[in-house]
Amino acid sequence: MLTYDLSQRGKRTMYEFLYEKMKDDILAGRLAKGEKLPSKRALSEHLAVSVKTVENTYDQLLLEGYIRSEEKKGYYVNHIEKVTGNGPAYASFVTKYQEEEYLADFTANNIHYEKFPFATWAKVMRETLTDYDTSLLKTVPFNGVEALRVQIAEYLYRYRGMQVSPDHIIVGAGTEYLYSRLLQLLGQDAIYAVENPGYRKIAKLYEANHSKWTYIDIDKQGMDVDALRQSQATVIHVSPEHHYPIGLVMPVGRRQELLAWAAQEKERYIIEDDFDCEFRMVGRPIPSMQSMDRSHRVIYMNTFSKTMVPSLRISYMVLPEKLMERYISTMNFYSCTVSGFEQYALASFMEKGYFERHIRRMINYYKQQRDFIKKVIKVSELGKVCKIIETGAGTHFLLHIDTPLSDVEIKWAAKEKGILLNCLSEFCFENRERYKGLLIMNYSDMEERQLRKAIAALEEIFCE
Amino acid sequence: MLTYDLSQRGKRTMYEFLYEKMKDDILAGRLAKGEKLPSKRALSEHLAVSVKTVENTYDQLLLEGYIRSEEKKGYYVNHIEKVTGNGPAYASFVTKYQEEEYLADFTANNIHYEKFPFATWAKVMRETLTDYDTSLLKTVPFNGVEALRVQIAEYLYRYRGMQVSPDHIIVGAGTEYLYSRLLQLLGQDAIYAVENPGYRKIAKLYEANHSKWTYIDIDKQGMDVDALRQSQATVIHVSPEHHYPIGLVMPVGRRQELLAWAAQEKERYIIEDDFDCEFRMVGRPIPSMQSMDRSHRVIYMNTFSKTMVPSLRISYMVLPEKLMERYISTMNFYSCTVSGFEQYALASFMEKGYFERHIRRMINYYKQQRDFIKKVIKVSELGKVCKIIETGAGTHFLLHIDTPLSDVEIKWAAKEKGILLNCLSEFCFENRERYKGLLIMNYSDMEERQLRKAIAALEEIFCE
């Protein structure tokens, strides 16, 4: 009869141990297919355990299908294919996503963590826990917590000139996530156009979603309307507040041409990517394209990643009425991807004025940063071989360098000195030569000492 | 010359008011295309405002492209197409997503909010704010915070018999979100098979993602392997721990047949949907199919929506090595969709043992609920015309009713009495007749009084 050394069971209960042992024997073929098991009473006497222990063991083996019970006959071992291979299913495969060390990273449009009012944010989160209590647990509507959508609508009214109902806003975990939903909403027939040069990650999203897409050159006003008209595109992705990385503000004339293009045909839309619109260093906020749209063709997208922190993962989009209705009727089975708690906390942070205060402070801080870096460049040797091209929008500018080096050589030379750089040509789908020798300088998370060292290193590259 | 009544400017600054007025005039055509504007000095004298005010106004109009500056000549109005249509871009469109009032909802596999240890969770969140401080702001790795992935791996080891490296886990904002990523990862050539009957929302996700899919009948052990072999399917979606809504535990023999099917060809995979696996009312936890997989073909998915709360929006999947490598090389540009803060808080909640304690308590609570509702049914008139079909898994069971009513008639009769019900036939893609008269009873968020009333109402329908 089955015999197991029950003293070896360690911390396991008798029943767990017996179950494991019998299971192992069945899987290894030591208990063969069709073999009749001893009766519960017989096995309990043999092993000197309670009948209940054997009963629990048999029940579990039955439940998992290792054995079967035949009425009035007893328990039999089932046919189980032998397991081939051995050891744990997964090796202790450990991937290292080690970040490289560097002196300065001009490629990252990051926030300056130390400038974020964490204490205030933590206070608001604590208050939210107390104020909302268990109502924080409730399932969030598919488009986000209403209190947050109301705050967003008010913010858009005050700062972007937009009159938007909170019911047109969809809150989601990041712009990429909302973009995926949007691509689904617009369907497989849509053909997307991005700006050349432009933000390449958008094209990556199209690729990953198997969407058709193309690129269209920009001129000094933004996306070329004639080229757009000649293309097959039905949906365009633009950043009228300022083009990244060129910084161009799309003038009102071009905006209206694009709006007119969209209004001409059904199912034409404009995705207005308003990332970083809050950080305008010169002049007052420029109203969004959405606020000029009379034909309900603009889909507005923005995020709290830069205005708050990236780890918060809250973005939103504003859909025109027709698309919102389509979303509700076809896609509202997708649950909202942002936790209720953080939506309530952000709504409260906005309502209490902390959000706008933080943005005002950051604009001032970034202005100082910008003036500082520009000054350092101007008084350096580098200043003699470069020209700063800046439009007062966003937390970056372009540096045009007079150098025989190719853009690839620039990148490698910089990298050897511990400086991560992107060139404008990297944002081109074609016509790279037109944009040669233009470095993109993201300065938002730089510190003074770091900046001075980085500029000195660039001097060594370009001023030998 | 341009004349505006500056006394009407309300709370706006002089510059804002002047800018708005001139912009309106240009858009309305009152300032015509090509018209020369007065010099800054002339307008400032005319309106009795400072030159600086006019300068700021002109600068902003220049920036937005309403006017242009011609060297040594002055400022001119640009050609702006007249805006057609009027009023705000969006009407005050307010959609009501009003929830219906009802006596009892047996369709929802919800949690019982009052049983969630909110005070402990709030305490852990407060501690997390204090302990991690500003490091909470850091950008989260694409696959989630390591501390949480470590806790998940340990939990899977203890409760699901799985040996999984934290590096194989991807944390995301909900199972639907992770599913979208997975469909992208597996590519457009994959053909998915779901169980019939089965969870129809999965098929909806395939549809929304334009993925090819089919369904395969289940027999008493789970998905029919012969039918599967005859199909074109390359990826199957199954719930071996217990089928929803039938409750069937897939026996080890069928599991191994499916694993063998997957191992036969490249790019065959099994998606193991382990939703609700934690709430096994009878016996000990059944090891997952992933833990039996020696060929690296099982993709394991689970969520904290039921074990914690749905509004938390944290799910995870465990990828086999090859798929993880593919994810890293092609899709790690997708940012993690869950906020860092809540990942740290959940990791701490798990590490401190609160998570497992909560699950143990909920199992006991749900057992009481189940026994209570079964008792109420048995002693009622309803008990005479129905049979409870229950497998001890998940927080629902089936009720087979002896009735001449069709399933549609049952639903409507129940609805009229304020009871929301799903029939098993609704989970069928075909062969609905085979599963006629089977009600799905989700009891997890029911209260005793509510249950008694609901059973009394069902009595009225079926026992007249």
Side-chain angles (χ1 to χ4, degrees), chain B residues 95-128:
Chain B
T95 321
K96 293 276 173 211
Y97 317 108
Q98 201 77 54
E99 292 202 1
E100 288 175 71
E101 297 235 340
Y102 48 80
L103 174 65
D105 180 2
F106 287 105
T107 68
N109 193 345
N110 280 338
I111 67 156
H112 199 306
Y113 291 106
E114 281 169 33
K115 298 287 164 189
F116 182 75
F118 181 76
T120 309
W121 175 235
K123 186 188 76 154
V124 169
M125 289 215 275
R126 287 194 171 91
E127 287 167 359
T128 304

Side-chain angles (χ1 to χ4, degrees), chain A residues 209-221:
Chain A
N209 280 282
H210 308 281
S211 301
K212 294 183 278 291
W213 68 280
T214 184
Y215 50 81
I216 288 171
D217 283 345
I218 59 168
D219 58 25
K220 284 181 180 165
Q221 303 215 307

Side-chain angles (χ1 to χ4, degrees), chain A residues 15-16 19-20 23 27 60 63-66 79-91 93-95 97 113 116 118 121-122 125-126 129-130 133-134 136-140 142-143 163-165 167-168 173 176-177 180-181 184 188 201 204-205 208-210 249-253 256-257 260 280 282-287 290 292-294 296 298 309-313 318-321 324-325 328 333-342, chain B residues 15-16 19-20 23 27 60 63-66 79-91 93-95 97 113 116 118 121-122 125-126 129-130 133-134 136-140 142-143 163-165 167-168 173 176-177 180-181 184 188 201 204-205 208-210 249-253 256-257 260 280 282-287 290 292-294 296 298 309-313 318-321 324-325 328 333-342:
Chain A
Y15 142 58
E16 281 174 337
Y19 155 80
E20 294 282 358
K23 193 174 85 170
L27 283 169
Q60 187 73 22
L63 183 65
E64 298 187 32
Y66 286 95
H79 169 67
I80 312 288
E81 280 185 53
K82 240 185 165 174
V83 176
T84 54
N86 46 26
Y90 294 109
F93 161 79
V94 178
T95 321
Y97 318 105
Y113 291 107
F116 182 75
F118 181 76
W121 177 234
M125 289 214 277
R126 289 194 170 92
L129 284 170
T130 308
D133 201 59
T134 55
L136 287 175
L137 304 176
K138 287 207 181 121
T139 303
V140 169
F142 76 94
N143 56 343
Q163 288 186 283
V164 160
S165 152
D167 286 326
H168 282 256
E176 291 157 12
Y177 170 74
S180 307
R181 283 293 86 83
Q184 260 185 40
Q188 291 290 80
K201 198 165 177 182
K204 238 176 168 173
L205 286 175
N209 280 282
H210 308 281
V249 177
M250 192 188 291
V252 60
Q256 289 187 339
E257 283 179 289
R280 171 149 293 284
V282 175
R284 62 196 296 283
I286 296 172
Q290 196 273 356
M292 302 173 174
D293 175 23
R294 295 289 173 277
H296 311 271
V298 175
V309 287
S311 64
L312 189 61
R313 307 307 312 149
V318 181
L319 294 184
E321 182 151 342
M324 193 66 201
E325 280 169 357
I328 291 169
F333 67 90
Y334 285 107
S335 311
C336 182
T337 43
V338 183
S339 93
F341 168 62
E342 293 194 328
Chain B
Y15 143 58
E16 281 174 336
Y19 155 80
E20 295 283 359
K23 193 175 86 170
L27 283 170
Q60 188 72 23
L63 182 67
E64 297 187 33
Y66 286 96
H79 170 67
I80 312 288
E81 279 186 54
K82 241 185 164 174
V83 175
T84 54
N86 45 28
Y90 295 108
F93 163 79
V94 178
T95 321
Y97 317 108
Y113 291 106
F116 182 75
F118 181 76
W121 175 235
M125 289 215 275
R126 287 194 171 91
L129 283 171
T130 307
D133 201 60
T134 54
L136 287 175
L137 304 177
K138 287 204 181 123
T139 303
V140 169
F142 76 94
N143 56 343
Q163 287 185 284
V164 161
S165 152
D167 285 325
H168 282 255
E176 292 157 13
Y177 170 75
S180 307
R181 283 293 84 85
Q184 260 185 40
Q188 291 289 80
K201 199 165 174 181
K204 238 176 168 173
L205 286 175
N209 280 281
H210 309 281
V249 178
M250 192 189 290
V252 61
Q256 289 187 340
E257 283 179 288
R280 171 150 293 285
V282 175
R284 61 196 299 283
I286 296 172
Q290 195 273 357
M292 302 174 173
D293 174 23
R294 295 289 174 275
H296 310 272
V298 174
V309 286
S311 65
L312 189 62
R313 308 305 315 148
V318 182
L319 294 184
E321 184 152 339
M324 193 66 200
E325 280 168 356
I328 290 169
F333 67 89
Y334 285 107
S335 312
C336 182
T337 43
V338 183
S339 94
F341 168 63
E342 293 194 327

Side-chain angles (χ1 to χ4, degrees), chain A residues 111-118 279 304 306-309 349 353-366:
Chain A
I111 66 154
H112 199 306
Y113 291 107
E114 283 169 30
K115 298 288 164 190
F116 182 75
F118 181 76
F279 300 107
F304 290 97
K306 185 83 178 281
T307 48
M308 294 287 287
V309 287
F349 192 79
Y354 298 129
F355 179 68
E356 285 166 25
R357 189 188 305 168
H358 170 54
I359 290 179
R360 279 198 305 275
R361 282 192 186 152
M362 290 314 289
I363 290 175
N364 286 330
Y365 172 74
Y366 289 141

Side-chain angles (χ1 to χ4, degrees), chain A residues 193-199 214-228 236-240 242-251 254 258 391 396 398 424-425 427-431 434-435 438:
Chain A
V194 291
E195 296 161 311
N196 178 48
Y199 196 47
T214 184
Y215 50 81
I216 288 171
D217 283 345
I218 59 168
D219 58 25
K220 284 181 180 165
Q221 303 215 307
M223 188 177 269
D224 184 328
V225 183
D226 289 331
L228 172 61
I236 60 173
H237 177 104
V238 290
S239 294
H242 70 273
H243 179 279
Y244 186 83
I246 289 183
L248 177 75
V249 177
M250 192 188 291
R254 180 61 54 90
L258 292 176
T391 58
H396 70 280
L398 296 179
L424 179 54
S425 57
F427 288 75
C428 295
F429 299 96
E430 62 170 20
N431 296 329
R434 191 189 296 168
Y435 297 100
L438 284 154

Side-chain angles (χ1 to χ4, degrees), chain B residues 263-275:
Chain B
Q264 252 165 26
E265 302 266 355
K266 275 185 185 173
E267 293 300 309
R268 278 192 184 165
Y269 289 100
I270 297 169
I271 301 171
E272 178 173 21
D273 182 350
D274 219 14
F275 178 71

